[in-house]
Amino acid sequence: HSSDSAEQAQERENDEVIDAIGDETREAIAATRAALARIEEGTYGLCDACGGYISPERLAVLPEATRCIDCAV
């Protein structure tokens, strides 16, 4: 890190942003892997809450969705 306190603050802020991006990326990968597992199990597109179908339109926008629109709200 820099010896200048203002630059140190900026570097710490940048580190936090990079950490947050990494966390979001790991979560997205986990959600994608879970969706792929549901495809293999034959449960992809079924709502975890009510057991009904998740609409194709919702899955087109959010392929890793685990709940229908009614249960997601």
Side-chain angles (χ1 to χ4, degrees), residues 2-16:
S2 174
S3 60
D4 180 50
S5 62
E7 286 183 29
Q8 285 178 0
Q10 182 63 49
E11 289 170 352
R12 280 193 299 273
E13 185 176 314
N14 291 345
D15 289 345
E16 290 174 8

Side-chain angles (χ1 to χ4, degrees), residues 24-72:
E24 289 177 19
T25 301
R26 280 186 287 281
E27 290 173 11
I29 290 170
T32 300
R33 286 182 175 158
L36 291 170
R38 289 191 304 278
I39 290 170
E40 288 181 14
E41 296 167 356
T43 60
Y44 182 76
L46 296 178
C47 178
D48 284 351
C50 71
Y53 289 103
I54 301 171
S55 72
E57 295 83 9
R58 178 165 170 76
L59 291 172
V61 173
L62 191 65
E64 68 275 11
T66 59
R67 293 186 173 198
C68 68
I69 193 69
D70 292 333
C71 293

